[in-house]
Amino acid sequence: MAPIDPHSYTDSGHPLATHIALSLYFDFPSSTIHGAATLTLPGPHTGPLSLDTRSLTIHKVLCPKTLTPLPFSLSPPPSDPIKGALLSVSLHNHASLLLLFSTSSSSSALQWLSPPQTFRKALPFVYTQCQSIHARSIFPCQDTPAARIRYTAALNVPRQLSAVMSARHSSRRDPSPDDAVAGFDGFGFDLKSMWCGEGRAVEEFVMEQPIPPYLFAFAVGELGFREVGPRTRVYSENVPEVLESAACEFAGTEEMMRQAESLFGVYEWERFDLLVLPPSFPYGGMENPRMVFLTPTVIKGDASGAQVVAHELAHSWTGNLITNTNNDHFWLNE
């Protein structure tokens, strides 16, 4: 047994999770997320399972069927400055495990914006950047491109906000007591009541195609959108001038997709939506499947910003479908 990636604790002798079911409660005042993650393995496993974490509080690890605690250990501080902390869980013929955790306000994957940092300066905003090894600061996972996972996610957010993800949106509804997994009482505070609190809404998403963890992405804020093609919406903060400018800049996206399909084959991800983020987004673009993230600086007013969109679209085949095995070879992605 040995690490399969020099930037991950994932062990070659351990099974790779195939699915993660996430329930995430967004606490904007504290810039934290309280979450439950059920990891499903290919089959029953006995022995340790190594997971990557960074700046996470692990409250409990449970058997999802019986809710009995599973023994676990977290490497003591100081954690590795690059890899973070190793979470080792002891399994005995288990094919799944339930992890209860909270993020830190210093999560390397999460950018929390106060209202004055947004376009409208009225409501807060949060977005992710998981490339290349930052998903581990949102939830415990095997944070290497060698691991490809499907996922479902229920995001509990303030009602005046909405969410998008690198996944198919399936519903927006009121919270229900049935949403709260039984393990929610393992946090040391009343997350069950918080989940169903007044003024909250639940956004549900499904990702049916397996992706490496670095492509996990979401954004939560006061969002609006414009349709620019049969497979593309442009999202941004709900500011008409930003939405209209973005819709004009990226009006040719469908033709671009048809040209790409003539070169590379069928576009496998169903939709190619675009999210224009606040100016603090540190990249030109990020190729999250189904929901590309873009900086507003690519909106030039003459459609030349579509060059960035073309680059991210190309990743739909080279990167998102065919991915480097580990982070040592991430240069191949570009």
Side-chain angles (χ1 to χ4, degrees):
M1 296 189 293
I4 64 175
D5 188 326
H7 301 93
S8 171
Y9 292 110
T10 304
D11 195 291
S12 62
H14 301 171
L16 297 177
T18 58
H19 187 272
I20 299 180
L22 291 161
S23 298
L24 302 177
Y25 180 92
F26 288 73
D27 185 7
F28 278 87
S30 65
S31 298
T32 56
I33 296 172
H34 306 301
T38 301
L39 275 63
T40 300
L41 306 177
H45 175 66
T46 296
L49 183 71
S50 297
L51 299 173
D52 294 304
T53 75
R54 185 192 290 124
S55 303
L56 293 180
T57 299
I58 308 300
H59 299 284
K60 282 188 177 181
V61 183
L62 305 170
C63 169
K65 294 182 179 179
T66 64
L67 296 182
T68 55
L70 297 176
F72 73 91
S73 63
L74 197 63
S75 57
S79 59
D80 185 282
I82 295 175
K83 294 197 294 184
L86 164 65
L87 173 61
S88 181
V89 182
S90 297
L91 302 179
H92 182 72
N93 202 36
H94 289 93
S96 60
L97 59 156
L98 170 62
L99 302 114
L100 307 180
F101 60 91
S102 296
T103 67
S104 162
S105 58
S106 62
S107 166
S108 61
L110 295 169
Q111 178 69 64
W112 299 86
L113 304 180
S114 63
Q117 295 172 299
T118 65
F119 280 114
R120 282 210 337 115
K121 307 187 183 308
L123 294 168
F125 197 103
V126 64
Y127 64 84
T128 60
Q129 176 57 36
C130 289
Q131 192 185 65
S132 50
I133 57 169
H134 301 290
R136 66 190 68 182
S137 68
I138 302 177
F139 58 93
C141 60
Q142 294 158 316
D143 196 5
T144 169
R148 297 183 74 98
I149 53 170
R150 296 176 173 87
Y151 70 85
T152 59
L155 277 54
N156 188 305
V157 301
R159 181 173 297 279
Q160 64 267 47
L161 305 181
S162 57
V164 294
M165 288 196 82
S166 56
R168 174 173 56 83
H169 185 255
S170 57
S171 72
R172 177 182 170 94
R173 56 175 177 78
D174 293 333
S176 164
D178 296 334
D179 299 335
V181 296
F184 269 21
D185 57 10
F187 281 84
F189 49 88
D190 193 359
L191 186 57
K192 285 184 178 180
S193 296
M194 292 165 59
W195 186 274
C196 295
E198 187 177 353
R200 307 291 297 189
V202 172
E203 302 260 24
E204 293 185 305
F205 298 86
V206 178
M207 188 58 181
E208 294 164 333
Q209 294 118 318
I211 61 169
Y214 77 84
L215 292 177
F216 177 84
F218 61 71
V220 178
E222 187 185 21
L223 299 174
F225 66 86
R226 296 288 187 272
E227 302 279 357
V228 297
R231 293 181 282 185
T232 305
R233 285 177 174 176
V234 174
Y235 291 83
S236 78
E237 289 185 63
N238 197 17
V239 178
E241 54 268 32
V242 177
L243 284 167
E244 296 302 334
S245 296
C248 291
E249 190 79 18
F250 308 126
T253 301
E254 179 62 26
E255 176 58 25
M256 188 185 301
M257 294 180 69
R258 285 197 289 263
Q259 292 295 330
E261 286 180 309
S262 72
L263 295 169
F264 307 127
V266 175
Y267 179 78
E268 299 283 353
W269 303 96
E270 298 172 13
R271 293 196 59 82
F272 184 69
D273 292 326
L274 310 172
L275 172 65
V276 177
L277 284 160
S280 60
F281 183 59
Y283 293 85
M286 178 61 207
E287 67 269 18
N288 305 311
R290 303 184 65 109
M291 185 62 66
V292 166
F293 285 8
L294 297 167
T295 173
T297 60
V298 301
I299 302 175
K300 310 293 188 182
D302 59 3
S304 63
Q307 296 177 25
V308 175
V309 174
H311 175 97
E312 308 311 332
L313 175 60
H315 276 303
S316 300
W317 290 269
T318 56
N320 296 9
L321 286 182
I322 302 172
T323 309
N324 44 288
T325 301
N326 65 46
N327 285 295
D328 254 2
H329 302 292
F330 216 96
W331 61 274
L332 288 168
N333 204 42
E334 297 298 331

